[in-house]
């Protein structure tokens, strides 16, 4: 019994004896192709009835002698018994390794996009491993500062920063602010007037966010680089050039670079090269020290997908920079979110009901759902499911994994494959839920949000406690 291997996986820490050769050939089905958060298992060669693919699991995942899956040396079924379900479980070694890969690939200016998953422990971890942190609201700024991350390691984003958010970011001394609109430039002008005098000559470093007019091949909700976008200044319209002019005339501000983010869950790294090609024409004549290409590197959610690595992404961007005449001394950076945390995390649920509708389908209902993972509902995102007690088992039974919310659309995995003997009371896991799961969780139907636990070296550390029923009324007057 073993997990299904993958061809040319991205995982440098394969768990030797837990990995068995298998139908890994399915892996390349979408590599180099187009995929988005809407990618489904259907993109692959058909229903995957083998054990869950190794490359969907955290680095330290291993099957124990009894057949149960452990992560970070902690048995997942024991964890569910001890801490309850639903539960977000993160492999701390995997998180650290991905942060280090990001720094190796891009240098110390690379920022972790905290919107993918943020709590104080995650903020500290990313900072400890050498990353800057991208925060896009006053709330993310608050959490990062509360975690003790020095402000100069923060990059302040947001397409509608309020004056209060900007004031706090400036007062804290964020390392970079990414300017998104002319109204924001007005605010910046007011807030920084006379500032250089007050701050001993320190001017706030800013980047100007531009939309290069490049359409990333991904779901339209997470596409951001096109001209028709609420983000940034258009290149084609001349807005970006006008923004640069204005920023250069603000005495309290130092324009240090250009930023662009073309979209998220991008599998075709050529899209980034396309963006660089367009950006270079604008960036090079400005003679600025920094160019940030945003985040967006895709990850595999289902066994049939295989994503480019952090290193491949950086090399593609750098090669294109060189080709397009971006000076070699330029600090070329990025802001990966999903690719740092997605595969490090998985969600554990407990099966509550199994409803067989003869001739139609079987619904397996678990104790969470769209409140802890809204991605299938929002983007039609595909996921897989498996039983941690039998992670190496064949998954021949076709079921629909659903949640406990009062909506028919509350589906976690529309076409899940599970072992034949799945039963009420089983712990079910959905892998690759580390990004945009907890961070987009809600209290819909007054379901308390799950706990988040980091596992490492045989120990589990609760980094966000489970909400209680009392938490559900704490804001009521
Ligand atoms: N930088 C900027 C300016 C961004 O807007 C984003 C993501 C990132 C970096 C990080 O992108 P990543 O490496 O994580 O793809 N909720 C959606 C994803 C929305 C992404 C928004 N911006 C989802 O669940 O797929």
């Amino acid at each position: 019994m073993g997990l299904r291997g993958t061809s040319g996986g991205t995982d440098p820490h394969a768990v030797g004896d837990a990995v068995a050769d298998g139908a890994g050939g399915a892996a390349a089905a979408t590599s180099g192709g187009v995929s988005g958060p809407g990618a489904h298992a259907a993109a692959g060669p058909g229903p995957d009835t083998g054990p869950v693919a190794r490359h969907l699991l955290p680095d330290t995942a291993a099957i124990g002698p009894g057949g149960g899956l452990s992560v970070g040396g902690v048995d997942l079924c024991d964890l569910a018994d001890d801490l309850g379900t639903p539960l977000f479980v993160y492999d701390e070694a995997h998180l650290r390794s991905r942060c280090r890969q990001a720094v190796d690939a891009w240098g110390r200016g690379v920022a972790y996009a905290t919107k993918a998953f943020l709590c104080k422990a995650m903020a500290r971890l990313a900072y400890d491993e050498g990353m800057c942190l991208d925060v896009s609201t006053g709330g993310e700024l608050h959490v990062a500062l509360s975690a003790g991350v020095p402000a100069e390691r923060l990059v302040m984003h947001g397409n509608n920063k309020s004056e209060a958010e900007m004031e706090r970011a400036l007062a804290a001394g964020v390392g970079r602010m990414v300017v998104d609109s002319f109204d924001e430039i007005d605010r910046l002008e007011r807030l920084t007037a006379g500032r250089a005098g007050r701050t001993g000559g320190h001017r706030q470093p800013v980047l100007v966010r531009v939309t290069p007019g490049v359409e990333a091949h991904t779901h339209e909700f997470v596409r951001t680089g096109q001209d028709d976008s609420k983000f940034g200044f258009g290149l084609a319209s001349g807005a970006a050039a006008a923004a640069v002019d204005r920023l250069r005339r603000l005495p309290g501000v130092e324009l240090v670079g250009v930023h662009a983010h073309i979209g998220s869950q991008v599998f075709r790294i050529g899209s980034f090269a396309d963006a660089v090609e367009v950006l270079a024409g604008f960036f090079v004549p400005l003679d600025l020290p920094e160019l940030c290409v945003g985040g967006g590197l895709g990850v595999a959610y289902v066994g049939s997908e295989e994503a480019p690595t952090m290193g491949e992404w950086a090399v593609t961007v750098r090669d294109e920079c060189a080709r397009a005449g971006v000076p070699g001394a330029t600090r070329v950076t990025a802001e990966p979110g999903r690719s740092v945390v997605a595969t490090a995390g998985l969600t554990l649920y407990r099966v509550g009901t199994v409803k067989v509708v003869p001739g139609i389908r079987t619904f397996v209902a678990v104790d969470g759902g769209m409140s802890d993972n809204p991605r299938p509902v929002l983007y039609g995102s595909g996921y897989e499911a498996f039983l941690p007690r039998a992670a190496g088992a064949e998954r021949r039974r076709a079921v629909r994994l659903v949640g406990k919310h009062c909506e028919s659309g509350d589906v976690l995995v529309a076409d899940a494959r599970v072992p034949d003997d799945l039963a009420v009371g089983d712990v079910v896991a959905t892998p690759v839920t580390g990004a945009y799961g907890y961070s987009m969780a809600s209290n819909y139907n007054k379901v308390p949000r799950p706990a988040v636990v980091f596992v490492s070296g045989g120990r589990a550390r609760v980094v966000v406690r489970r909400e209680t029923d009392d938490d559900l009324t704490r804001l009521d007057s």
Side-chain angles (χ1 to χ4, degrees), residues 339-384:
S339 52
V340 175
V341 292
T343 317
L346 51 79
T347 310
L348 300 180
Y349 301 99
R350 184 83 62 179
V351 174
T353 66
V354 177
K355 173 181 170 179
V356 181
V357 185
I360 300 184
R361 70 174 82 249
T362 297
F363 290 93
V364 173
V366 295
D367 49 1
M370 64 194 284
S371 55
D372 59 77
N373 187 1
R375 299 192 69 261
V377 183
L378 280 175
Y379 318 115
S381 306
Y383 284 87
E384 296 207 17

Side-chain angles (χ1 to χ4, degrees), residues 32-80:
V34 173
S35 185
H40 273 274
D48 186 352
T49 58
V52 63
R54 180 66 187 88
H55 70 292
L56 300 183
L57 296 177
D59 287 352
T60 68
I63 295 181
L69 193 75
S70 69
V71 175
V74 178
D75 181 85
L76 293 181
C77 292
D78 290 348
L79 203 54

Side-chain angles (χ1 to χ4, degrees), residues 113 115 134 209 261 264 295-296 335 337-338 375 379 436 440:
K115 69 206 79 181
D134 147 3
R209 177 164 178 176
H261 169 78
S264 195
E335 296 162 347
R338 188 191 314 268
R375 299 192 69 261
Y379 318 115
Y436 303 108
M440 295 205 297

